[in-house]
Amino acid sequence: MELRNIAIIAHVDHGKTTLVDALLKQSGSFRDNQHVADRAMDSNDLERERGITILAKCTSVVWKETRINIIDTPGHADFGGEVERILSMVDGAIILVDAAEGALPQTKFVLGKALARGIRPIVVVNKIDRSDARPDEVHEEIFDLFASLGADEHQLDFPMLYASGRQGWADLELDGPKKDLAPLFDLVLRHVPQPNVDKDAPFGMVATILESDNFLGRILTGRIDQGRAKVNMPVRVLRPDGTIVETGRLTKLLSFRGLDRVPVDEAEAGDIVAVAGLSDATIPDTIADPSINEPLPSRPVDPPTLSMT
Ligand code: GDP
């Protein structure tokens, strides 16, 4: 199956959760026993009860034989390191802006980081159903914001959709059919590049998110940069300075499906997975096939935060 990895960047309350729920529903990614009430990116409390601390949310939807991993980004600069790590896993981004509120400066930080990485975002002007929506002005504000953040000519020529996440539609034109979110799905497939990876190389990934789980112990999430991960495969863990800190096995391999993380036997380069079974690995270590002697290129990050519950 083809793959796309995107980040979603929005000011709080601009409708991220509602839009992702609608994407899940329309992609048919919900199983019968999953309720939209689970709220895609809002289930932190539930997860805390279960003893898991989710630092970044990943939701996975399928559209036209392509799996789209959508990663939530924290809103402010306090999460600087985390933002960079999340952005290192994606090839595209959706900037979601409320059509009445406009482009708020709080998203500047994350947007600036995304632009600096060369990401060419898709802009979604959301809540067009609001009576006080002012889409044309908001479009201009977003253009000015991009320009002030140093966007290049390709980034300034951003594709833009008008949408109502609540009503479940997105259109390229203001007077479009307001039917469904197909235009947004299609734009993601068209505009966001596939992960550029070598699936035949030995397995390697850079751990970008660290969590602790009562049952599974340390869980490390990252994008598989090369090769294939297989459950129970032997791996070594390399620090960015090249020190081998651990050898072990991937006792658990989890891939994202809808709102869930599900155990899989195998996953290939480009996919974002969570792995368990290692006791010393941290971020931004390289977890790799034992034949790999050099850490994979890592990205600038803050010191790891491990929250035990
Ligand atoms: P988040 O904080 O970005 O995840 O935003 P939510 O999805 O939780 O939405 C914030 C508020 O905006 C809620 O009261 C939603 O009902 C409302 N909302 C979300 N999408 C739309 C929309 O398309 N139109 C309108 N009018 N309201 C919306």
Side-chain angles (χ1 to χ4, degrees):
M1 188 176 272
E2 270 201 46
L3 199 62
R4 299 289 187 280
N5 294 321
I6 58 169
I8 185 159
I9 300 173
H11 183 68
V12 64
D13 269 353
H14 282 203
K16 189 158 61 176
T17 311
T18 306
L19 180 72
V20 172
D21 282 353
L23 288 168
L24 274 162
K25 264 194 274 181
Q26 293 191 26
S27 69
S29 301
F30 274 104
R31 291 196 316 264
D32 293 343
N33 61 349
Q34 262 184 339
H35 299 294
V36 185
D38 285 349
R39 307 267 305 180
M41 296 195 172
D42 228 18
S43 52
N44 263 334
D45 293 343
L46 196 69
E47 245 125 25
R48 277 199 201 99
E49 273 171 32
R50 285 200 228 127
I52 308 173
T53 307
I54 299 292
L55 303 177
K57 293 286 195 178
C58 185
T59 306
S60 175
V61 300
V62 175
W63 184 256
K64 294 184 180 165
E65 311 287 304
T66 301
R67 199 145 55 78
I68 307 169
N69 288 321
I70 306 170
I71 311 177
D72 193 10
T73 50
H76 19 126
D78 308 355
F79 298 95
E82 196 188 342
V83 168
E84 308 230 291
R85 289 196 297 275
I86 289 168
L87 292 175
S88 74
M89 295 194 282
V90 302
D91 306 292
I94 291 176
I95 313 295
L96 188 67
V97 183
D98 184 310
E101 304 284 328
L104 293 178
Q106 283 85 342
T107 47
K108 241 171 137 164
F109 177 79
V110 186
L111 180 57
K113 295 277 180 199
L115 292 170
R117 290 194 75 90
I119 288 171
R120 292 170 59 187
I122 291 169
V123 172
V124 175
V125 179
N126 193 33
K127 304 198 191 183
I128 289 290
D129 61 288
R130 280 179 67 151
S131 57
D132 54 351
R134 40 184 195 94
D136 293 336
E137 274 167 60
V138 168
H139 181 181
E140 254 174 65
E141 286 172 23
I142 296 165
F143 184 90
D144 292 346
L145 181 60
F146 272 48
S148 75
L149 292 169
D152 68 22
E153 57 181 313
H154 299 294
Q155 292 169 325
L156 281 175
D157 191 23
F158 50 81
M160 191 176 83
L161 290 169
Y162 303 99
S164 168
R166 182 187 274 173
Q167 295 175 347
W169 58 263
D171 285 319
L172 282 163
E173 309 291 338
L174 257 180
D175 57 358
K178 300 183 171 46
K179 201 170 114 227
D180 54 31
L181 290 167
L184 177 53
F185 282 115
D186 288 339
L187 185 57
V188 168
L189 265 47
R190 226 172 35 240
H191 186 75
V192 178
Q194 266 181 253
N196 179 16
V197 285
D198 180 357
K199 293 180 182 173
D200 297 319
F203 164 71
M205 69 183 255
V206 176
T208 54
I209 300 167
L210 172 64
E211 299 158 60
S212 165
D213 175 85
N214 289 345
F215 295 105
L216 297 175
R218 293 166 94 84
I219 301 181
L220 293 136
T221 298
R223 190 191 78 148
I224 302 177
D225 294 313
Q226 58 182 63
R228 286 178 175 78
K230 294 193 173 96
V231 74
N232 281 325
M233 78 187 287
V235 290
R236 61 165 44 156
V237 178
L238 300 108
R239 284 283 126 87
D241 68 3
T243 320
I244 298 168
V245 289
E246 181 178 6
T247 53
R249 280 178 190 278
L250 299 185
T251 54
K252 200 100 184 172
L253 180 63
L254 303 163
S255 181
F256 295 89
R257 298 285 185 276
L259 301 176
D260 288 335
R261 286 195 283 200
V262 301
V264 291
D265 292 333
E266 200 177 319
E268 60 182 23
D271 202 0
I272 296 170
V273 293
V275 301
L278 301 166
S279 48
D280 294 316
T282 187
I283 47 180
D285 288 350
T286 293
I287 303 170
D289 183 274
S291 67
I292 291 197
N293 293 313
E294 298 286 331
L296 297 174
S298 84
R299 301 95 175 176
V301 286
D302 281 350
T305 46
L306 176 59
S307 23
M308 301 294 285
T309 44

